[in-house]
Amino acid sequence: MQYYLMLAAVLFGIGLFGVITRRNTVGILMSLELMFNAANINLVTFNRYVMTDSLAGQMFAIFIVVVAAAEATVGLAIVLLVYRNWRGIETENYSIMKW
């Protein structure tokens, strides 16, 4: 169990580092996916080793996969619109979108 938790912690750390340091929006979305996958590993691991007779961990993992797919869809749509208007997907362009 500890190896799965260590793997999830490493994936989450890499994803968090990517979200904080990246300027490219696609890179930020990819880092968010890493963080979602780390959460999925934790959910399935705890379900396997703590609640062995339940499928709650797998159900939550499927829910997170669906949320990640929706997040990627909306995020990529926003990236395409920003690229179409400003010819770049750097996060500095998004400050223009403020009111």
Side-chain angles (χ1 to χ4, degrees):
M1 177 173 173
Q2 63 190 6
Y3 298 116
Y4 293 116
L5 295 179
M6 287 182 357
L7 173 67
V10 168
L11 278 178
F12 193 85
I14 291 171
L16 184 63
F17 180 76
V19 167
I20 292 172
T21 59
R22 294 269 178 164
R23 291 185 177 181
N24 189 335
T25 308
V26 175
I28 291 172
L29 288 174
M30 289 172 49
S31 299
L32 283 173
E33 294 296 325
L34 278 179
M35 293 169 72
F36 281 134
N37 285 328
N40 281 340
I41 289 172
N42 277 337
L43 286 171
V44 173
T45 300
F46 280 114
N47 187 40
R48 168 74 170 88
Y49 289 105
V50 177
M51 297 174 45
T52 57
D53 58 345
S54 174
L55 294 177
Q58 281 90 356
M59 295 304 290
F60 279 121
I62 290 172
F63 179 72
I64 287 179
V65 167
V66 170
V67 169
E71 172 261 336
T73 303
V74 172
L76 287 177
I78 291 171
V79 166
L80 284 175
L81 284 175
V82 167
Y83 180 76
R84 188 177 296 167
N85 289 328
W86 289 292
R87 297 291 177 208
I89 55 173
E90 304 299 320
T91 54
E92 290 89 20
N93 294 340
Y94 297 154
S95 64
I96 299 171
M97 297 172 69
K98 292 180 184 175
W99 284 88

